[in-house]
Structure formats: structure tokens, C-alpha cells
Amino acid sequence: MGREQDAAEALRHIALDESLKGYVLQHPPLYKTILRSAMRFIGGETLEGCLEVARKINQQGHAVTIDFMGESTRDEKMAAAATEEFLRVVSAIAQQNLQSSVSLDLSHIGMVIDPELGYQNAVAIAQAAQKAGLEMMISMEGTDRTTLILEIYQRLCQQVSNVGITLQAYLYRTGEDLNRVLQSPGKVRLVKGAYEAPSELAYDRGADLDAAYCRLMETLLTRGKACSIATHDQAILDHAHEVIERHAIDAQNVEFEMLKGVTYDRLQAMGERGYATRVYLPYGKEWHLYLCNRLAEYPPNLYQAIADAAIFS
């Protein structure tokens, strides 16, 4: 277990290295080899391919949330191009009548260039999504961006009512953040948290983090807040079910969300219990950092990744 934890920490560190992302993109043989491992977790490299995967997942009884992968955009033209792509996602979901929301990182659409630019681009996407009757979920990023993301989210909530926010249970601050977010109209997606964070800001993986997640989850459930319980942890899934039954909670505002390619049987089981279920479905060429985070969450997946990479299509 110690070696697996070391591997997970190494992978999380790699996932923060933007230069490695560029290196993979610039070396086609390496890109093609690792892509075979990434395909287990993503909807493909193009929107068209992702829509086909989304349709199949819908047919299996699960909604999806589509994300055009990318973060930490440093160029204004690239941020504008990403914004246009998200508008294309919204249009395609609506035209094809898919059970899907749209997810995004604010840093992908300009937040790190200029917070106002990120906000204005987010408004454009949120308004288009609201017009199409769709939900837009804002993903969370590294701890140095948490406050800014929440500030932009609160501004968005003054303009539209269809925007949700992701909160990371591993941060000590999240209980206070949740109290503020509960006053906003959007859904809360609760995750454990995948980014590296200093010990003075966050719980380590383990019992303390699991307990923190359950406390936050119980607050969401008992307050009747629209929420997405985004975890693969079987003990937490069972606890959520027990809380809902014990308090006779109307599960209409509750969904369980998991990642493509991870513990699909658990998602199926929650659906069979009668809950709404959703698959997080990213696509695009910037899958390198995403793959590292997925492997970090469950290091034994490294063995499967090696096997996937060895399969030639």
C-alpha cells in the first residue's frame, strides 16, 4: 500500500506539470501510445466521437456531463476558441436531445489570463445552456484557485439559475464554502478532491477525508439541496443510501455521478436502487493530465493502463 500511495503522489505531481502535457502533444508516437490508455476514461478526441459515446451511455440508463478537456489556458485566442467549442457542445446536446449537462474548468476559458475574461466567457456559455434548458457545472481546480472560482460562481448565480459548482471535501475550508453555496440556486457536485494540496489546507486520503465527505454529503441531503454525489467509494455510496432512507429524503434532487471507465458496476447498482445516475464524460486532446489524475486515484489502474497501451488498433 505504501508503494501505491507513493505512485499516487507522483502521478498527482505529474498532473500539475503543464510542460509534460505539451511534451506529450508534440510527440505523436508517445501521444498515440498513451492515448490507448486514456480512451478507457474519455469520450474520445472529438465532440462528434464523444456524442456517440454519450448516446450509448444514455441508452444504458445514465445521464452524462460533457467536458471539453483543458485548463490553465494562457492565451486569449485559445480561451476564445475553447469558449466557442463549449457553445458547440451546448448546441449539439440540445439538437441531439441527449441527457447531458456541460462541465468546464474556468481556467480553460480565460480565468488565469484575466478573471473578468473568464467570467464573461462563462456567462456566454451559461446563458446559451440556460436557453437550451441545460445545466452547466463548474469544476474545481487547484487550491490556489478555489476562492476565485467561487467568486465567479457567485457572480454567475446573479445572472442565471442553471449553474452548479463542484466542492472538494478534502479541503478544510469546504464546510464554510458549502454554507455559502447553499444560498445559491445551482446544484452542488461533491468530490473528494484530486489535486495536490499542502497538509495545512487539506486532509490526506483516508478515514478523516471519508468522514469529512460524509458530513458534507449529509448536509446536502438533509437540506434538500440539489446535489451530485460524485464518488466511487462503496462505503460512502451505501451510507448515502442509508441516510436517504433513514430521513425519508426525496431523492428527486439527488444524483450519483461517476467517471467513465471506473467502477461502472457501482453506478449500475445505484441506478437499480432507483437513483438518477450520471457519467462524467470529457473529450479532447488534452487528456494527459486527466489520465494522470485518474491513475492517481486508484494506482492499480496502472496495470490496466499498461495493458491498454499495449493493444494496437
Side-chain angles (χ1 to χ4, degrees):
M1 181 60 71
R3 289 182 178 179
E4 288 185 356
Q5 290 176 340
D6 291 342
E9 290 305 313
L11 285 162
R12 289 192 182 96
H13 182 72
I14 290 170
L16 293 174
D17 192 330
E18 295 178 29
S19 65
L20 286 177
K21 175 183 70 176
Y23 182 86
V24 172
L25 288 171
Q26 293 165 19
H27 290 76
L30 179 62
Y31 178 94
K32 289 178 65 176
T33 299
I34 305 178
L35 175 61
R36 288 192 287 271
S37 298
M39 286 300 294
R40 179 176 296 273
F41 303 105
I42 67 175
E45 296 181 278
T46 66
L47 175 57
E48 291 69 28
C50 184
L51 293 171
E52 183 59 33
V53 175
R55 189 175 299 106
K56 291 178 181 177
I57 293 173
N58 282 176
Q59 290 170 353
Q60 294 166 353
H62 313 296
V64 300
T65 184
I66 295 177
D67 186 352
F68 172 50
M69 281 184 290
E71 58 182 82
S72 301
T73 301
R74 309 286 180 178
D75 179 89
E76 192 166 334
K77 289 183 179 179
M78 293 178 66
T83 301
E84 287 301 315
E85 181 70 3
F86 278 112
L87 291 172
R88 201 162 75 93
V89 171
V90 170
S91 177
I93 291 170
Q95 288 177 5
Q96 298 193 25
N97 197 30
L98 296 172
Q99 287 183 281
S100 178
S101 58
V102 58
S103 288
L104 57 83
D105 287 308
L106 288 174
S107 70
H108 193 187
I109 56 173
M111 182 186 73
V112 295
I113 302 168
D114 176 4
E116 187 62 26
L117 174 66
Y119 167 71
Q120 293 297 338
N121 286 338
V123 168
I125 300 166
Q127 289 179 338
Q130 183 165 263
K131 185 176 181 180
L134 304 179
E135 178 181 65
M136 184 179 95
M137 290 297 301
I138 296 174
S139 298
M140 195 48 74
E141 306 183 39
T143 56
D144 58 326
R145 298 174 181 173
T146 303
T147 296
L148 179 55
I149 290 170
L150 288 170
E151 288 174 353
I152 292 176
Y153 167 70
Q154 296 288 357
R155 288 183 66 190
L156 284 168
C157 288
Q158 297 172 13
Q159 301 292 325
V160 293
S161 60
N162 64 320
V163 177
I165 188 68
T166 304
L167 295 180
Q168 302 178 105
Y170 76 151
L171 297 180
Y172 298 141
R173 63 174 286 172
T174 300
E176 295 181 4
D177 291 336
L178 177 58
N179 287 334
R180 289 190 290 270
V181 166
L182 284 171
Q183 310 308 314
S184 301
K187 179 185 292 180
V188 174
R189 176 203 278 152
L190 184 63
V191 302
K192 284 189 177 181
Y195 293 88
E196 279 190 320
S199 59
E200 63 268 21
L201 298 179
Y203 297 101
D204 290 329
R205 293 260 163 181
D208 288 343
L209 172 55
D210 292 349
Y213 189 104
C214 287
R215 287 194 299 272
L216 296 164
M217 179 181 70
E218 288 173 16
T219 298
L220 285 167
L221 292 174
T222 56
R223 292 283 293 272
K225 179 69 171 175
C227 61
S228 183
I229 307 303
T231 182
H232 298 267
D233 189 315
Q234 187 62 60
I236 292 177
L237 295 172
D238 290 340
H239 181 62
H241 179 61
E242 187 272 330
V243 169
I244 291 169
E245 290 206 323
R246 172 159 43 93
H247 292 279
I249 293 169
D250 182 356
Q252 185 175 351
N253 287 330
V254 182
E255 70 178 16
F256 290 87
E257 182 176 342
M258 300 187 194
L259 305 169
K260 179 181 182 290
V262 183
T263 62
Y264 183 73
D265 58 328
R266 297 180 186 178
L267 188 70
Q268 286 281 84
M270 297 310 290
E272 290 168 2
R273 282 175 163 174
Y275 296 114
T277 52
R278 189 178 299 272
V279 174
Y280 177 76
L281 188 63
Y283 77 94
K285 293 183 179 295
E286 295 192 26
W287 44 259
H288 169 67
L289 305 185
Y290 182 78
L291 174 62
C292 289
N293 276 321
R294 298 294 71 76
L295 298 180
E297 287 173 345
Y298 187 60
N301 276 339
L302 277 168
Y303 305 123
Q304 183 63 59
I306 293 170
D308 290 340
I311 297 173
F312 289 83
S313 58

